[in-house]
Amino acid sequence: MKDDLKERIVELFRQKSKGEKHFFYIRDVVKWLPDEDRRMVQDAVKELLDEEILKYWSTGSTTYLVLAEHYPKE
Amino acid sequence: MANNSETPLLDQLEEGRWPSFVKEIKQAAQKKPMAEDLLRQLELSYKEKIGHWKHGGIVGVKGYGGGVIGRYSDRPDLFPNVQAFHTLRVNHPTGWFYKTDALRTLCDIWDKHGSGLTNLHGSTGDAILLGTTTEHLQPCFDDLSNAGFDLGGSGSALRTPSACVGPGRCEWACIDSLDICNSLTLEFQDEIHRPMFPYKFKIKISACANDCVAAIARADLTVIGTWKGNIRIDQKEVAAYADSGLDIQKEVCNLCPTHCMTWNGKELKIYDEDCTRCMHCINLMPKALRQGEEKGATILIGAKAPIVEGALLSWVIVPFMKMEPPYEELKDLIIKIQDWWSENARSRERLGELIKRMSMRKFLRAVGLPPVPQMIKAPRTNPYVFFWPEEINRPEGKEEK
């Protein structure tokens, strides 16, 4: 179940990242999956972060999520 | 090292009798080229009246989504030693109690991995370590971790909880603010290190209404120590204060916010039913007045500084809660509050702003708290005390406005 959810999340990230916008709030991800429990989505995102498929990007006050391939280089 | 001719504008900030951060950075620059470039870049900013930092990016070390704030120079061609100048937030010991060897350890680690510049303590409460490179982040964290330190919170996460010194030093502490802070920090580790909130969330604990950590103005969840029952009065000591020159009528009674006390020159009377437990009288006459015997905390909600919207002060939601380890009642309430906020908040919307947008009535129902008179800021202005539409028997055809 979780693997399926993770795949859907990654697929959604790929779709949504096709344009210029690559950074998303966790709230965006939860909204993309209105039928899923918020905590399940958050847990799946945490696993994707552990696997470094997704990465955090932060301004210091706000944290965003981004596909690793779109993570800006220093 | 930077000299006067290189930084004439900054040099002016060394004048006067007060401490100067320029002087301190110059001292660091004798050992660290990073500090030297920091000065030179700052001089350029003063000259051009524009900042030269790029914020954002890297967030932490392996397994963490916070604790590091990425910072880069936009003029690495001129200042290569501050091309990356990241900040680390280190979770402070509760109540800021250190031994000097802990401080020396912290400084030794920072001399090894960073610029040597620190900010003890930042307004978050953390020990702020200013300026290191990306390559040094993980080794620095490993050394900090081996020395018993952990990173604090940053980004859309629970920020490092902070508390006043409480019973560690203060006779007025109504609760063990240190233990509560430590317990909450350990309980909510995942929320601190893995940002999953709509925005920042701050918890601050003051052990009495003097509120030495300014929790009421800064924290999304504020815990302030208070008491039940009557203020204990030692009339002999009251008389001694009067004899020593304290004008009790003017300084104590007249400045009491609820005017709940009288002084006839011999005896002080307190009408405790009108007392708001502000601590004013106890602060002025600590030998004569002591708090009531039953201690606990008031829980308040929703303070913030002005960013997206204007500043908000905290609002009482639980007038009195017993505070005994392991603080399950408080922790359960915090989880319910954070759940409701996570479900309903817009991105970058603080809890206080969400309550303002959706109403206190909905918030109270969601977290299972009854409206009580202590929540009222001003009579007839608190819409959450109104009945729910389904509780009102309206004549047919009349709908709620």
Side-chain angles (χ1 to χ4, degrees), chain B residues 370-397:
Chain B
V372 291
Q374 287 91 337
M375 295 173 179
I376 294 171
K377 282 183 175 174
R380 298 179 184 277
T381 61
N382 295 67
Y384 65 92
V385 301
F386 293 168
F387 292 105
W388 285 88
E390 65 269 21
E391 293 169 339
I392 301 170
N393 290 324
R394 292 180 186 282
E396 248 177 67

mmCIF file of all heavy atoms in Angstrom, chain B residues 370-397:
data_model
loop_
_atom_site.group_PDB
_atom_site.id
_atom_site.type_symbol
_atom_site.label_atom_id
_atom_site.label_comp_id
_atom_site.label_asym_id
_atom_site.label_seq_id
_atom_site.Cartn_x
_atom_site.Cartn_y
_atom_site.Cartn_z
ATOM 1 N N PRO B 370 -14.037 23.213 26.185
ATOM 2 C CA PRO B 370 -15.249 24.028 26.365
ATOM 3 C C PRO B 370 -14.891 25.506 26.440
ATOM 4 O O PRO B 370 -13.839 25.857 26.985
ATOM 5 C CB PRO B 370 -15.778 23.542 27.723
ATOM 6 C CG PRO B 370 -14.551 23.113 28.458
ATOM 7 C CD PRO B 370 -13.560 22.614 27.433
ATOM 8 N N PRO B 371 -15.760 26.386 25.906
ATOM 9 C CA PRO B 371 -15.522 27.815 26.126
ATOM 10 C C PRO B 371 -15.744 28.151 27.605
ATOM 11 O O PRO B 371 -16.700 27.672 28.202
ATOM 12 C CB PRO B 371 -16.560 28.509 25.247
ATOM 13 C CG PRO B 371 -17.519 27.466 24.817
ATOM 14 C CD PRO B 371 -16.954 26.120 25.113
ATOM 15 N N VAL B 372 -14.841 28.924 28.167
ATOM 16 C CA VAL B 372 -14.970 29.296 29.589
ATOM 17 C C VAL B 372 -14.742 30.804 29.720
ATOM 18 O O VAL B 372 -14.110 31.418 28.847
ATOM 19 C CB VAL B 372 -13.957 28.528 30.477
ATOM 20 C CG1 VAL B 372 -14.313 27.063 30.555
ATOM 21 C CG2 VAL B 372 -12.537 28.719 29.987
ATOM 22 N N PRO B 373 -15.259 31.400 30.800
ATOM 23 C CA PRO B 373 -15.182 32.861 30.917
ATOM 24 C C PRO B 373 -13.764 33.414 30.851
ATOM 25 O O PRO B 373 -13.554 34.528 30.378
ATOM 26 C CB PRO B 373 -15.801 33.133 32.292
ATOM 27 C CG PRO B 373 -16.659 31.960 32.569
ATOM 28 C CD PRO B 373 -16.023 30.795 31.910
ATOM 29 N N GLN B 374 -12.776 32.633 31.318
ATOM 30 C CA GLN B 374 -11.391 33.154 31.322
ATOM 31 C C GLN B 374 -10.854 33.414 29.921
ATOM 32 O O GLN B 374 -9.836 34.069 29.750
ATOM 33 C CB GLN B 374 -10.456 32.176 32.036
ATOM 34 C CG GLN B 374 -10.625 32.137 33.539
ATOM 35 C CD GLN B 374 -11.637 31.076 33.970
ATOM 36 O OE1 GLN B 374 -12.507 30.673 33.194
ATOM 37 N NE2 GLN B 374 -11.536 30.660 35.215
ATOM 38 N N MET B 375 -11.524 32.874 28.907
ATOM 39 C CA MET B 375 -11.069 33.089 27.535
ATOM 40 C C MET B 375 -11.448 34.470 27.021
ATOM 41 O O MET B 375 -10.921 34.928 26.013
ATOM 42 C CB MET B 375 -11.705 32.065 26.595
ATOM 43 C CG MET B 375 -11.288 30.640 26.860
ATOM 44 S SD MET B 375 -12.280 29.562 25.829
ATOM 45 C CE MET B 375 -11.603 27.982 26.286
ATOM 46 N N ILE B 376 -12.383 35.125 27.685
ATOM 47 C CA ILE B 376 -12.956 36.351 27.124
ATOM 48 C C ILE B 376 -12.000 37.525 27.287
ATOM 49 O O ILE B 376 -11.534 37.809 28.387
ATOM 50 C CB ILE B 376 -14.320 36.665 27.773
ATOM 51 C CG1 ILE B 376 -15.300 35.566 27.379
ATOM 52 C CG2 ILE B 376 -14.823 38.024 27.348
ATOM 53 C CD1 ILE B 376 -16.610 35.632 28.099
ATOM 54 N N LYS B 377 -11.696 38.168 26.176
ATOM 55 C CA LYS B 377 -10.828 39.339 26.229
ATOM 56 C C LYS B 377 -11.625 40.587 26.593
ATOM 57 O O LYS B 377 -11.169 41.445 27.322
ATOM 58 C CB LYS B 377 -10.158 39.556 24.863
ATOM 59 C CG LYS B 377 -8.986 38.618 24.630
ATOM 60 C CD LYS B 377 -8.326 38.937 23.313
ATOM 61 C CE LYS B 377 -7.081 38.098 23.134
ATOM 62 N NZ LYS B 377 -6.479 38.259 21.824
ATOM 63 N N ALA B 378 -12.816 40.728 26.017
ATOM 64 C CA ALA B 378 -13.684 41.862 26.314
ATOM 65 C C ALA B 378 -15.124 41.388 26.147
ATOM 66 O O ALA B 378 -15.420 40.656 25.200
ATOM 67 C CB ALA B 378 -13.403 43.021 25.363
ATOM 68 N N PRO B 379 -16.014 41.765 27.065
ATOM 69 C CA PRO B 379 -17.398 41.292 26.985
ATOM 70 C C PRO B 379 -18.042 41.595 25.634
ATOM 71 O O PRO B 379 -17.808 42.669 25.066
ATOM 72 C CB PRO B 379 -18.105 42.062 28.105
ATOM 73 C CG PRO B 379 -17.016 42.442 29.042
ATOM 74 C CD PRO B 379 -15.793 42.636 28.205
ATOM 75 N N ARG B 380 -18.821 40.660 25.135
ATOM 76 C CA ARG B 380 -19.616 40.795 23.900
ATOM 77 C C ARG B 380 -18.771 40.895 22.634
ATOM 78 O O ARG B 380 -19.249 41.295 21.595
ATOM 79 C CB ARG B 380 -20.559 42.018 23.979
ATOM 80 C CG ARG B 380 -21.565 41.900 25.084
ATOM 81 C CD ARG B 380 -22.466 43.123 25.147
ATOM 82 N NE ARG B 380 -23.376 43.019 26.279
ATOM 83 C CZ ARG B 380 -24.512 42.341 26.248
ATOM 84 N NH1 ARG B 380 -24.881 41.725 25.162
ATOM 85 N NH2 ARG B 380 -25.268 42.290 27.314
ATOM 86 N N THR B 381 -17.501 40.563 22.724
ATOM 87 C CA THR B 381 -16.698 40.641 21.509
ATOM 88 C C THR B 381 -16.157 39.280 21.079
ATOM 89 O O THR B 381 -15.411 39.191 20.133
ATOM 90 C CB THR B 381 -15.481 41.567 21.691
ATOM 91 O OG1 THR B 381 -14.669 41.021 22.736
ATOM 92 C CG2 THR B 381 -15.896 42.978 22.011
ATOM 93 N N ASN B 382 -16.508 38.229 21.797
ATOM 94 C CA ASN B 382 -15.934 36.929 21.495
ATOM 95 C C ASN B 382 -16.966 36.014 20.840
ATOM 96 O O ASN B 382 -17.751 35.377 21.517
ATOM 97 C CB ASN B 382 -15.402 36.273 22.762
ATOM 98 C CG ASN B 382 -14.259 37.060 23.332
ATOM 99 O OD1 ASN B 382 -14.457 38.176 23.791
ATOM 100 N ND2 ASN B 382 -13.085 36.521 23.271
ATOM 101 N N PRO B 383 -16.976 35.944 19.537
ATOM 102 C CA PRO B 383 -18.052 35.239 18.856
ATOM 103 C C PRO B 383 -18.096 33.741 19.171
ATOM 104 O O PRO B 383 -19.123 33.117 19.011
ATOM 105 C CB PRO B 383 -17.747 35.470 17.371
ATOM 106 C CG PRO B 383 -16.317 35.873 17.326
ATOM 107 C CD PRO B 383 -16.025 36.538 18.624
ATOM 108 N N TYR B 384 -16.981 33.152 19.640
ATOM 109 C CA TYR B 384 -16.990 31.707 19.850
ATOM 110 C C TYR B 384 -17.867 31.302 21.024
ATOM 111 O O TYR B 384 -18.172 30.142 21.188
ATOM 112 C CB TYR B 384 -15.563 31.174 20.042
ATOM 113 C CG TYR B 384 -14.916 31.693 21.288
ATOM 114 C CD1 TYR B 384 -15.007 30.982 22.477
ATOM 115 C CD2 TYR B 384 -14.225 32.891 21.273
ATOM 116 C CE1 TYR B 384 -14.417 31.453 23.631
ATOM 117 C CE2 TYR B 384 -13.641 33.371 22.415
ATOM 118 C CZ TYR B 384 -13.738 32.655 23.591
ATOM 119 O OH TYR B 384 -13.161 33.152 24.719
ATOM 120 N N VAL B 385 -18.267 32.262 21.876
ATOM 121 C CA VAL B 385 -19.146 31.881 22.974
ATOM 122 C C VAL B 385 -20.610 31.847 22.529
ATOM 123 O O VAL B 385 -21.476 31.440 23.267
ATOM 124 C CB VAL B 385 -19.013 32.815 24.209
ATOM 125 C CG1 VAL B 385 -17.595 32.812 24.731
ATOM 126 C CG2 VAL B 385 -19.468 34.224 23.896
ATOM 127 N N PHE B 386 -20.886 32.269 21.295
ATOM 128 C CA PHE B 386 -22.242 32.198 20.791
ATOM 129 C C PHE B 386 -22.642 30.742 20.612
ATOM 130 O O PHE B 386 -21.803 29.855 20.468
ATOM 131 C CB PHE B 386 -22.363 32.922 19.442
ATOM 132 C CG PHE B 386 -22.176 34.414 19.541
ATOM 133 C CD1 PHE B 386 -22.002 35.164 18.382
ATOM 134 C CD2 PHE B 386 -22.169 35.062 20.754
ATOM 135 C CE1 PHE B 386 -21.827 36.537 18.452
ATOM 136 C CE2 PHE B 386 -21.992 36.428 20.838
ATOM 137 C CZ PHE B 386 -21.815 37.169 19.687
ATOM 138 N N PHE B 387 -23.917 30.505 20.569
ATOM 139 C CA PHE B 387 -24.395 29.138 20.359
ATOM 140 C C PHE B 387 -24.100 28.682 18.943
ATOM 141 O O PHE B 387 -24.016 29.491 18.014
ATOM 142 C CB PHE B 387 -25.910 29.077 20.611
ATOM 143 C CG PHE B 387 -26.280 29.290 22.053
ATOM 144 C CD1 PHE B 387 -26.834 30.486 22.469
ATOM 145 C CD2 PHE B 387 -26.074 28.282 22.987
ATOM 146 C CE1 PHE B 387 -27.167 30.680 23.804
ATOM 147 C CE2 PHE B 387 -26.410 28.479 24.319
ATOM 148 C CZ PHE B 387 -26.961 29.681 24.734
ATOM 149 N N TRP B 388 -24.003 27.355 18.802
ATOM 150 C CA TRP B 388 -23.928 26.793 17.460
ATOM 151 C C TRP B 388 -25.318 26.879 16.821
ATOM 152 O O TRP B 388 -26.329 26.813 17.535
ATOM 153 C CB TRP B 388 -23.482 25.338 17.517
ATOM 154 C CG TRP B 388 -22.023 25.228 17.812
ATOM 155 C CD1 TRP B 388 -21.432 25.172 19.040
ATOM 156 C CD2 TRP B 388 -20.969 25.196 16.845
ATOM 157 N NE1 TRP B 388 -20.069 25.115 18.904
ATOM 158 C CE2 TRP B 388 -19.758 25.118 17.571
ATOM 159 C CE3 TRP B 388 -20.921 25.221 15.449
ATOM 160 C CZ2 TRP B 388 -18.513 25.071 16.937
ATOM 161 C CZ3 TRP B 388 -19.690 25.166 14.834
ATOM 162 C CH2 TRP B 388 -18.501 25.098 15.566
ATOM 163 N N PRO B 389 -25.420 27.018 15.510
ATOM 164 C CA PRO B 389 -26.731 27.160 14.858
ATOM 165 C C PRO B 389 -27.703 26.047 15.239
ATOM 166 O O PRO B 389 -28.896 26.302 15.472
ATOM 167 C CB PRO B 389 -26.390 27.100 13.365
ATOM 168 C CG PRO B 389 -24.965 27.524 13.276
ATOM 169 C CD PRO B 389 -24.312 27.098 14.563
ATOM 170 N N GLU B 390 -27.216 24.803 15.369
ATOM 171 C CA GLU B 390 -28.123 23.683 15.641
ATOM 172 C C GLU B 390 -28.660 23.718 17.080
ATOM 173 O O GLU B 390 -29.593 22.994 17.412
ATOM 174 C CB GLU B 390 -27.430 22.351 15.342
ATOM 175 C CG GLU B 390 -26.241 22.016 16.220
ATOM 176 C CD GLU B 390 -24.912 22.501 15.647
ATOM 177 O OE1 GLU B 390 -24.927 23.420 14.797
ATOM 178 O OE2 GLU B 390 -23.861 21.960 16.051
ATOM 179 N N GLU B 391 -28.065 24.558 17.914
ATOM 180 C CA GLU B 391 -28.527 24.636 19.301
ATOM 181 C C GLU B 391 -29.629 25.685 19.490
ATOM 182 O O GLU B 391 -30.162 25.845 20.573
ATOM 183 C CB GLU B 391 -27.347 24.994 20.218
ATOM 184 C CG GLU B 391 -26.304 23.902 20.294
ATOM 185 C CD GLU B 391 -25.022 24.366 20.987
ATOM 186 O OE1 GLU B 391 -24.771 25.578 21.052
ATOM 187 O OE2 GLU B 391 -24.280 23.490 21.433
ATOM 188 N N ILE B 392 -29.933 26.402 18.435
ATOM 189 C CA ILE B 392 -30.885 27.519 18.564
ATOM 190 C C ILE B 392 -32.221 27.128 17.935
ATOM 191 O O ILE B 392 -32.264 26.665 16.794
ATOM 192 C CB ILE B 392 -30.338 28.787 17.871
ATOM 193 C CG1 ILE B 392 -29.002 29.179 18.518
ATOM 194 C CG2 ILE B 392 -31.340 29.937 17.969
ATOM 195 C CD1 ILE B 392 -28.260 30.254 17.776
ATOM 196 N N ASN B 393 -33.287 27.315 18.688
ATOM 197 C CA ASN B 393 -34.629 27.082 18.142
ATOM 198 C C ASN B 393 -35.104 28.363 17.481
ATOM 199 O O ASN B 393 -35.530 29.305 18.140
ATOM 200 C CB ASN B 393 -35.602 26.690 19.262
ATOM 201 C CG ASN B 393 -35.297 25.317 19.800
ATOM 202 O OD1 ASN B 393 -34.895 24.418 19.055
ATOM 203 N ND2 ASN B 393 -35.457 25.148 21.101
ATOM 204 N N ARG B 394 -35.004 28.400 16.164
ATOM 205 C CA ARG B 394 -35.409 29.604 15.441
ATOM 206 C C ARG B 394 -36.829 29.429 14.894
ATOM 207 O O ARG B 394 -37.215 28.320 14.544
ATOM 208 C CB ARG B 394 -34.472 29.866 14.259
ATOM 209 C CG ARG B 394 -33.091 30.255 14.684
ATOM 210 C CD ARG B 394 -32.215 30.493 13.463
ATOM 211 N NE ARG B 394 -30.836 30.730 13.863
ATOM 212 C CZ ARG B 394 -30.371 31.869 14.347
ATOM 213 N NH1 ARG B 394 -31.168 32.903 14.485
ATOM 214 N NH2 ARG B 394 -29.130 31.996 14.711
ATOM 215 N N PRO B 395 -37.572 30.523 14.794
ATOM 216 C CA PRO B 395 -38.878 30.435 14.141
ATOM 217 C C PRO B 395 -38.694 29.966 12.696
ATOM 218 O O PRO B 395 -37.654 30.247 12.091
ATOM 219 C CB PRO B 395 -39.404 31.878 14.168
ATOM 220 C CG PRO B 395 -38.578 32.579 15.183
ATOM 221 C CD PRO B 395 -37.270 31.871 15.248
ATOM 222 N N GLU B 396 -39.654 29.244 12.185
ATOM 223 C CA GLU B 396 -39.540 28.720 10.822
ATOM 224 C C GLU B 396 -39.262 29.833 9.822
ATOM 225 O O GLU B 396 -39.848 30.911 9.906
ATOM 226 C CB GLU B 396 -40.842 28.012 10.433
ATOM 227 C CG GLU B 396 -40.633 26.519 10.290
ATOM 228 C CD GLU B 396 -41.908 25.799 9.977
ATOM 229 O OE1 GLU B 396 -42.434 26.019 8.875
ATOM 230 O OE2 GLU B 396 -42.373 25.027 10.848
ATOM 231 N N GLY B 397 -38.398 29.564 8.894
ATOM 232 C CA GLY B 397 -38.090 30.548 7.854
ATOM 233 C C GLY B 397 -36.975 31.504 8.223
ATOM 234 O O GLY B 397 -36.450 32.224 7.394
#
